[in-house]
Amino acid sequence: MEKWELKMIGRIEEKRQLQQLLDEEESQFVAVFGRRRVGKTFLIRESFDYKFTFQHTGLSSNSIKKNMRKKAQLEAFSKSLSESGYSTDRELNSWYDAFDCLKELIGQSADGKKVIFIDELSWMDTKGSELVSALEHFWNGWVTARQEKDVILIVCASATYWMMDNIVNSKGGLHNRLTGQIKLKPFTLAECEAYLETKKILFTRHQIIQSYMILGGVPYYWSLLKKGRSFPQNIDELFFKEGASLQGEYDNLYKALFNKPDQYIKIIEALCSINKGITRDEICKKTKIPSSGDLTKKLKELENCGFIRKYVPFGAESKNALYQLIDNYTLFYNRFLKDNVSDENYWENSSNSGVLNAWAGIAFERVCLEHVAQIKNALGISGVKTDVNSWKCDSDSDKGLLGSQIDLLIVRKDQVINVCEMKYSESDYVPDLAFDKAMRRKIADLQKATKTKYAIHSTLVTNYDVEKNSYYGNIQSIVTGDDLFR
């Protein structure tokens, strides 16, 4: 059981969706997926008050010898059957055997809804296991064919790409069989703030943003923060002290999701080196991985798991799509932990260093990209249809272009474009001549290169407030740190 949650934070709609299954007149088949450590298991168990006809969690393949994986998974399933009250001496030699026993357990159960929860389903799908085929047979050949009306089957996995390929977008026997799906997202800043309140941890909103720049919205990571410690002390204890809780998390994270993580990590490291994102061809050059269907699959898997994003810059063709690292923890690891920092008080001792300041600007941009809904709300355009994008152009004297990079472009159906400049600061941000010139250059380049007829609003997004001076009035819209919590 994931004991790190004190009480349910957020997840109101997801919990309602799960609890509503108990009121349905037909059997239900639901897939729950999302990034590792995001709280999927806790959500499901809380939603059903920890009461299941049967529940089982697949074994991590990293803990099992390769030639014993299928046998070990079946033995674990058999043990779960026994713990759920099913008694038999039958040895499980296949997943068909396993689901036959599950049918018998369901048949022996009392009247009412039979809630079946299978966690980390992807781990159970060992090479040649026929797990998915047996699951298809169980659902199509037994639950559906017999018109069973009281079965609720919930399958869950952190390997989002596996869930998408084999369950959600199945082209086989499970095609269109799901009656519901939940992709559980990381916490927002507001949810992280609410979670800290339950733990009686007193962080300012600035410190919460700093924490999010490192931990992202992964609830498990936030659960490790300790009351009575300062923000730097907490970070040192989580990452830099001897035996720190999250010191080995990076390797465990990728090994838990991918059977052969090395090439995935190569792609991640290539993306870490360029903040703004790189093309597929550039990924191939940096990683020496050939351009092929296999690379396409790996990129899609990393995207589905929430580590990277693929986007087409405003006005560009799809073939010029860029891939960008967006996972806060992965960025933090590659900047500060990959080279085995030996200072146990590294974060306390590095305040305002050049390395930290350079990282902070990039990490804050990631936080903003994960809170576009809050930025739109602050701009008063929550109900306006928008395309959220990026844009850049090279210098071209013939066209009068100076060369610009816009990391967040909100193109609105009401014929306005918000050119967003994201600035991290240790105090109220002070717009200056350099900022003003850079913003005017970007707007001029965007107008000349795209010939857009839309109105263009300069928009500043920063983590504190903004000091009013002679340049303040040139900014059309301002989004502050407090706005990101709303």
Side-chain angles (χ1 to χ4, degrees):
M1 183 191 304
E2 295 173 351
K3 296 181 179 178
W4 42 268
E5 290 275 9
L6 295 178
K7 70 173 186 176
M8 183 77 73
I9 298 295
R11 316 307 198 198
I12 295 170
E13 177 56 30
E14 293 88 350
K15 187 173 182 178
R16 183 200 63 78
Q17 186 177 340
L18 288 171
Q19 291 181 332
Q20 214 170 37
L21 299 176
L22 296 168
D23 298 325
E24 298 293 339
E25 295 182 0
E26 304 294 332
S27 286
Q28 301 292 307
F29 182 10
V30 175
V32 181
F33 49 95
R35 189 195 191 284
R36 178 169 158 84
R37 311 281 206 184
V38 83
K40 301 178 297 297
T41 303
F42 179 74
L43 167 69
I44 295 166
R45 289 177 173 169
E46 280 283 310
S47 297
F48 292 100
D49 198 25
Y50 295 77
K51 296 173 183 176
F52 301 97
T53 303
F54 173 76
Q55 65 172 316
H56 173 69
T57 302
L59 303 176
S60 170
S61 59
N62 295 319
S63 61
I64 312 168
K65 290 182 180 178
K66 193 171 183 178
N67 63 339
M68 296 292 290
R69 286 176 182 171
K70 179 179 176 181
K71 185 174 187 298
Q73 295 287 359
L74 286 168
E75 287 176 351
F77 195 89
S78 180
K79 184 178 180 182
S80 293
L81 285 166
S82 177
E83 290 172 350
S84 298
Y86 179 74
S87 179
T88 181
D89 294 329
R90 180 178 178 180
E91 183 178 351
L92 304 185
N93 295 309
S94 72
W95 284 113
Y96 289 96
D97 290 345
F99 282 104
D100 281 345
C101 292
L102 181 56
K103 294 174 200 174
E104 292 177 19
L105 171 63
I106 293 171
Q108 295 170 5
S109 301
D111 292 340
K113 295 293 185 181
K114 283 80 173 178
V115 185
I116 311 302
F117 173 32
I118 303 178
D119 199 3
E120 296 299 359
L121 182 67
S122 61
W123 286 351
M124 297 158 59
D125 187 26
T126 55
K127 188 175 181 180
S129 70
E130 296 185 308
L131 170 71
V132 176
S133 296
L135 179 61
E136 291 172 1
H137 184 69
F138 167 75
W139 187 257
N140 296 334
W142 191 73
V143 177
T144 303
R146 287 167 51 98
Q147 296 186 324
E148 300 286 339
K149 297 184 182 297
D150 54 1
V151 176
I152 298 173
L153 173 61
I154 301 169
V155 295
C156 180
S158 299
T160 302
Y161 69 91
W162 186 95
M163 290 289 280
M164 298 299 291
D165 286 350
N166 293 280
I167 306 295
V168 178
N169 298 324
S170 170
K171 294 180 175 61
L174 292 179
H175 178 66
N176 282 340
R177 291 296 186 266
L178 285 180
T179 58
Q181 57 179 282
I182 296 173
K183 182 173 184 179
L184 197 61
K185 296 179 180 180
F187 278 170
T188 62
L189 282 166
E191 288 169 331
C192 290
E193 182 178 49
Y195 179 65
L196 290 184
E197 287 175 2
T198 67
K199 295 191 70 179
K200 303 191 184 312
I201 294 177
L202 303 178
F203 276 11
T204 66
R205 284 189 164 177
H206 175 61
Q207 291 169 330
I208 294 172
I209 290 173
Q210 288 180 307
S211 301
Y212 205 99
M213 287 158 57
I214 297 170
L215 307 175
V218 181
Y220 172 74
Y221 299 162
W222 287 80
S223 76
L224 300 175
L225 296 172
K226 293 180 180 177
K227 178 182 174 182
R229 306 284 201 279
S230 69
F231 165 71
Q233 286 174 331
N234 263 298
I235 298 307
D236 280 330
E237 289 191 15
L238 286 181
F239 296 102
F240 298 103
K241 299 283 188 187
E242 185 177 352
S245 304
L246 292 176
Q247 231 165 35
E249 172 68 7
Y250 187 76
D251 288 338
N252 292 335
L253 179 60
Y254 287 90
K255 284 178 182 177
L257 295 174
F258 309 111
N259 288 330
K260 297 179 180 178
D262 291 352
Q263 288 198 328
Y264 296 91
I265 291 174
K266 278 186 179 180
I267 294 170
I268 289 294
E269 290 175 347
L271 295 178
C272 273
S273 64
I274 306 292
N275 175 41
K276 309 303 181 186
I278 57 178
T279 65
R280 179 191 175 98
D281 287 343
E282 289 171 320
I283 291 173
C284 293
K285 289 177 185 176
K286 286 179 172 292
T287 62
K288 309 300 182 187
I289 299 173
S291 181
S292 64
D294 186 56
L295 176 60
T296 301
K297 182 172 180 288
K298 285 181 168 58
L299 290 170
K300 191 64 181 176
E301 289 171 357
L302 286 168
E303 188 179 359
N304 283 338
C305 288
F307 294 115
I308 69 174
R309 72 165 179 149
K310 177 184 179 182
Y311 70 95
V312 180
F314 180 62
E317 298 179 13
S318 57
K319 65 181 180 181
N320 296 319
L322 298 178
Y323 294 87
Q324 183 183 37
L325 176 69
I326 57 170
D327 183 62
N328 307 69
Y329 166 74
T330 298
L331 175 66
F332 176 79
Y333 173 88
N334 277 275
R335 290 297 171 95
F336 299 105
L337 297 170
K338 184 180 173 185
D339 295 328
N340 297 317
V341 174
S342 57
D343 183 359
E344 291 198 347
N345 299 301
Y346 179 81
W347 212 249
E348 282 194 275
N349 295 335
S350 299
S351 178
N352 291 322
S353 70
V355 175
L356 256 66
N357 291 336
W359 160 81
I362 297 168
F364 180 66
E365 287 179 10
R366 300 297 188 274
V367 175
C368 294
L369 290 174
E370 292 175 87
H371 289 79
V372 171
Q374 287 76 11
I375 292 173
K376 287 179 60 178
N377 182 57
L379 295 173
I381 57 170
S382 292
V384 179
K385 188 175 180 182
T386 61
D387 290 324
V388 178
N389 220 310
S390 299
W391 182 81
K392 68 176 181 177
C393 72
D394 295 325
S395 174
D396 189 329
S397 56
D398 292 337
K399 295 180 180 178
L401 300 176
L402 298 175
S404 296
Q405 170 79 39
I406 301 172
D407 297 315
L408 179 58
L409 201 67
I410 302 177
V411 184
R412 298 156 43 175
K413 291 303 179 185
D414 59 358
Q415 299 193 332
V416 174
I417 297 175
N418 288 92
V419 172
C420 300
E421 186 72 8
M422 296 168 280
K423 292 292 186 181
Y424 177 82
S425 178
E426 288 295 334
S427 59
D428 287 358
Y429 183 73
V430 182
D432 56 14
L433 176 62
F435 170 83
D436 188 64
K437 287 179 66 175
M439 185 62 83
R440 285 189 284 111
R441 183 189 74 240
K442 291 178 181 185
I443 291 173
D445 277 350
L446 182 65
Q447 286 174 323
K448 289 175 184 177
T450 66
K451 296 182 170 51
T452 180
K453 302 298 183 185
Y454 284 18
I456 300 178
H457 289 187
S458 59
T459 303
L460 171 62
V461 186
T462 187
N463 53 307
Y464 274 117
D465 286 326
V466 181
E467 184 176 302
K468 294 181 179 179
N469 59 16
S470 57
Y471 298 104
Y472 179 90
N474 295 338
I475 306 169
Q476 291 280 338
S477 307
I478 292 173
V479 179
T480 66
D482 283 342
D483 292 324
L484 297 177
F485 285 79
R486 296 188 176 116

